[in-house]
Amino acid sequence: SGTPADSISINSLNPQNNGDSCLIDFDGDGITDVTIYSYSYAYSYGGYNYSYAYTNIYGRNGSKILSQPGSVNIGTYTYNYLGASRLAEGTSIGPSSSIWSDTGGYGAMNISAYGYNVTAGQFLGADGFVGVQFQAGGSTHYGWVRLSVGNNGKTANISSAGFNPNPDQAINAGE
């Protein structure tokens, strides 16, 4: 069974403002394991209006995020990216999970540029769980963060988190 969220250090539950980040320390060792970052900006240039909004998820200090590849088309250009996987409650997170990435990448992206509107990321307008692999006491542990992101891609809510205190053992999302 997992460690309850009230024992996990989360510096901010609602990164809502431009450039806000949420730092998560699963095991209370003072080392940030995950950063969830919301960012947006807009400008006009050359007769076009541009707007960008992102919620990105990163593993820190050796931690990794359960991720999967994705792609978006912007006109004739295809942009390939690695994004955080949105997991359903009860999904097993552990040694047999793949793809683990330290960048984790996009949880959500909402872009308007060059006359194109582009949306991507499994968390855009959705709620789910992010799988996390982190190091504590020289051992690998697995955990999760419950994340929802607004349709605009920049408002995020982290409602809970948990991890398995037993090294190299899986945990179910939401446990």
Side-chain angles (χ1 to χ4, degrees):
S1 124
T3 296
D6 59 4
S7 67
I8 297 171
S9 173
I10 302 173
N11 81 320
S12 169
L13 287 176
N14 297 298
Q16 298 292 329
N17 300 311
N18 190 35
D20 276 358
S21 62
C22 175
L23 309 177
I24 301 172
D25 174 8
F26 279 97
D27 59 342
D29 62 1
I31 297 171
T32 299
D33 299 306
V34 174
T35 299
I36 299 175
Y37 179 75
S38 294
Y39 185 75
S40 68
Y41 60 97
Y43 64 94
S44 295
Y45 180 77
Y48 289 101
N49 293 321
Y50 302 88
S51 66
Y52 300 85
Y54 305 93
T55 295
N56 294 336
I57 304 159
Y58 298 104
R60 298 289 188 219
N61 301 301
S63 298
K64 297 182 185 226
I65 305 299
L66 192 56
S67 303
Q68 68 180 31
S71 66
V72 294
N73 295 316
I74 304 172
T76 59
Y77 178 76
T78 299
Y79 174 70
N80 297 307
Y81 67 92
L82 194 60
S85 297
R86 182 170 55 95
L87 307 174
E89 186 167 7
T91 301
S92 180
I93 302 163
S96 63
S97 302
S98 65
I99 302 167
W100 291 105
S101 169
D102 57 352
T103 60
Y106 297 114
M109 173 174 43
N110 190 351
I111 299 172
S112 177
Y114 304 103
Y116 297 99
N117 292 317
V118 177
T119 58
Q122 291 194 356
F123 285 90
L124 185 64
D127 177 78
F129 295 86
V130 178
V132 179
Q133 177 190 79
F134 69 98
Q135 299 296 309
S139 298
T140 301
H141 292 264
Y142 296 92
W144 53 266
V145 176
R146 185 161 195 171
L147 172 69
S148 60
V149 178
N151 289 328
N152 61 10
K154 67 178 179 177
T155 57
N157 180 53
I158 296 89
S159 57
S160 57
F163 77 98
N164 191 333
N166 300 309
D168 300 313
Q169 299 296 310
I171 186 170
N172 292 330
E175 181 179 86

